[in-house]
Amino acid sequence: MQFVIAPFIFAQGLDTEQWMKELEDDMLVSSLSIPGAHDAATDEGLFAPPGFGRTQSLNLKELWECGVRAFDIRPAVRDTLLYIYHGKLRTKVSFAEALDVISAQLDRYPSEFAIVLLREESDSENEKEHSLWSPLVGGIIRDMGEKAAVFSPDMKVGDVRGKVLFLTRSSYSGADRGARITGWCHSKDGCTNARILPYANGSEARLQVQDYYAPTDAEKRGYKLDVVRRFFSLSTDAKE
């Protein structure tokens, strides 16, 4: 199973607030190319000097409205509450508030679904806060009930409409929905042996990852583009 998360241009006239209504229910989620946003909550406001840590010029609702359905969200514990962070920089939105924004859009547009890619942003946490991360995140996902999707490699669009699929790079506890990713890498060549492990009983899936995030000069940027194109080709071949 592969998720290809990348920006793309929608055809003129497509309703980007509910573009998934055009998808057939029996389409495999793994066959889709889904537009996503890195550090998706940083336009909600940051406790930082202007220009620091902001990776988006749109807030979560605006990202949804332009078609984004995969949200890279990085909670960390401050005292006993979960906030969204970028490194050591705290945004002005909590994890629960961010999910409320996405849930409200799903209520308004039930044809859609969202992927939330989680990672603990532990740079800002002390030992006690770190110990709270797993149960706090799991508790929020558990409390979402049926709105949190159960992962399976052969899940179809009709299975996840109106729901959030949580894929996490950091383990949470207390919830049997979503899935944990192992083997994520930042190699400039990417990796093809990462795994998606469901929290509920079921089969795991293979994941291709290309997350080389430091292309600091023109040569490295060119190399990254070449690898991204290669991964798109790998994904296309896998769907045929």
Side-chain angles (χ1 to χ4, degrees):
M1 179 180 188
Q2 296 126 15
F3 288 103
V4 179
I5 301 174
F8 66 91
I9 299 173
F10 284 97
Q12 186 176 4
L14 186 64
D15 184 354
T16 54
E17 291 184 307
Q18 47 183 341
W19 61 268
M20 287 178 167
K21 70 181 181 180
E22 307 296 334
L23 303 177
E24 299 293 334
D25 278 349
D26 61 356
M27 291 184 68
L28 289 170
V29 174
S30 59
S31 72
L32 304 177
S33 295
I34 300 173
H38 169 76
D39 277 300
T42 55
D43 195 61
E44 300 288 342
L46 281 159
F47 292 100
F52 279 79
R54 185 180 177 214
T55 60
Q56 307 294 336
S57 61
L58 301 174
N59 62 33
L60 290 167
K61 184 174 182 291
E62 291 166 337
L63 287 170
W64 178 285
E65 290 169 348
C66 74
V68 168
R69 295 294 180 271
F71 300 86
D72 172 34
I73 292 179
R74 305 186 180 191
V77 180
R78 183 180 177 90
D79 297 325
T80 59
L81 296 175
L82 285 163
Y83 289 91
I84 309 303
Y85 275 75
H86 183 190
K88 293 185 178 182
L89 302 178
R90 180 162 68 95
T91 72
K92 296 180 180 180
V93 63
S94 70
F95 181 48
E97 289 168 339
L99 293 182
D100 284 345
V101 172
I102 296 171
S103 293
Q105 296 303 99
L106 291 170
D107 290 340
R108 185 176 182 184
Y109 304 109
S111 62
E112 311 302 289
F113 69 88
I115 295 173
V116 171
L117 182 64
L118 294 173
R119 192 188 82 172
E120 181 181 8
E121 207 76 315
S122 57
D123 290 349
S124 65
E125 295 175 334
N126 59 38
E127 185 175 346
K128 179 180 178 181
E129 289 168 336
H130 172 65
S131 71
L132 293 173
W133 193 93
S134 175
L136 284 174
V137 171
I140 287 174
I141 294 172
R142 181 190 63 241
D143 290 346
M144 291 180 68
E146 295 295 321
K147 189 165 261 184
V150 174
F151 173 84
S152 70
D154 58 353
M155 63 197 315
K156 297 178 180 179
V157 170
D159 299 326
V160 289
R161 291 195 195 275
K163 299 180 181 181
V164 179
L165 173 61
F166 291 95
L167 301 177
T168 183
R169 294 159 60 185
S170 307
S171 295
Y172 54 77
S173 60
D176 62 355
R177 293 174 181 269
R180 180 169 60 92
I181 295 172
T182 64
W184 190 280
C185 74
H186 300 292
S187 165
K188 68 178 183 178
D189 295 315
C191 60
T192 59
N193 59 350
R195 291 289 186 269
I196 305 177
L197 310 174
Y199 275 99
N201 294 329
S203 302
E204 66 178 56
R206 183 167 63 93
L207 177 68
Q208 297 179 175
V209 178
Q210 200 300 116
D211 189 20
Y212 177 50
Y213 62 85
T216 53
D217 56 41
E219 181 178 358
K220 291 179 180 177
R221 287 192 291 272
Y223 188 89
K224 180 176 175 69
L225 286 173
D226 288 342
V227 176
V228 169
R229 293 187 187 103
R230 177 166 62 85
F231 270 61
F232 268 116
S233 295
L234 287 171
S235 179
T236 301
D237 292 342
K239 296 170 188 174
E240 293 177 349

